[in-house]
Amino acid sequence: MSVRQSLLAILAQGPCYGYQLRSEFERRTGWSSSLNVGQIYSTLERLERDGLVSRGAPDADGHIYWQITDAGRGEARAWLASPVERNTGTRDELAIKLALAAALPGVDVFEVIKTQRRASSAHLESLRSTTFGGEVVGGPEELAWSLLTESLIFGVEAELRWLDHVEARLAARSAPAMVLELDTHRPKRGRPASTRPV
């Protein structure tokens, strides 16, 4: 998540002070994400350093309002107009766990899958049973909350479908053929050539 661009997008609507930015961020993301106020102020200082926001004088209550610059407005527009680049790495903990479990002797990978499926199904039911806790049903805050909640639901549903796929693939192989014995050759120094998916 880009805190920097999120703050710029909010400031494009009008000047805000730090705690107000935090509240606006949470309100606009359905309270699914929380920002530390210290993180907001350090981000604002970096944005100021980069010429994307400017700091106003304190008001009577001591609030310092931050205002977006033309350059900041341009960066916010560019962020909103560009696609989100998904991580192309393979550092998904569940995928790594199942890949290891499938290749280790004495591990019942189907039990690992079963345990994960139970946990994921419970999580899915929990997500499906959550309700909007805000004041205005049908308003923009509920819409933000529902978009983020639905994203989580679809993610867990995809995970469950993937677990079914993994189980079917593993069931089609014999258990001894899946075991990967330790390599007794001395590894070469340096990083191996990358075989990550693109």
Side-chain angles (χ1 to χ4, degrees), residues 20-177:
Q20 183 183 11
L21 275 170
R22 177 186 182 188
S23 175
E24 287 297 326
F25 177 83
E26 291 173 357
R27 202 167 66 95
R28 292 160 191 269
T29 58
W31 292 276
S32 66
S33 301
S34 182
L35 293 178
N36 179 301
V37 174
Q39 181 183 14
I40 290 173
Y41 282 111
S42 64
T43 302
L44 286 169
E45 288 170 2
R46 285 192 301 276
L47 289 170
E48 182 183 37
R49 177 200 66 203
D50 296 342
L52 302 174
V53 300
S54 61
R55 182 191 315 227
D59 69 5
D61 296 320
H63 298 131
I64 296 174
Y65 282 81
W66 297 81
Q67 188 166 338
I68 195 166
T69 64
D70 288 341
R73 202 174 297 280
E75 183 163 325
R77 275 195 304 269
W79 176 65
L80 291 168
S82 63
V84 172
E85 297 291 328
R86 296 293 185 185
N87 183 0
T88 58
T90 55
R91 292 282 183 175
D92 177 275
E93 184 178 352
L94 178 57
I96 290 170
K97 183 178 187 177
L98 291 180
L100 284 169
L104 289 171
V107 175
D108 184 348
V109 68
F110 297 103
E111 191 59 37
V112 175
I113 292 169
K114 191 163 118 182
T115 300
Q116 184 63 46
R117 185 180 287 115
R118 272 196 309 269
S120 298
S121 295
H123 183 49
L124 181 59
E125 289 311 308
S126 171
L127 287 169
R128 285 179 174 160
S129 66
T130 59
T131 55
F132 176 62
E135 297 173 13
V136 182
V137 175
E141 291 175 8
E142 184 189 24
L143 176 62
W145 173 86
S146 66
L147 290 174
L148 291 160
T149 302
E150 289 166 354
S151 172
L152 295 172
I153 288 170
F154 290 153
V156 178
E157 288 174 342
E159 179 176 286
L160 288 166
R161 285 194 310 275
W162 180 73
L163 287 171
D164 291 342
H165 168 76
V166 170
E167 188 173 49
R169 288 209 52 202
L170 294 175
R173 296 173 159 247
S174 67

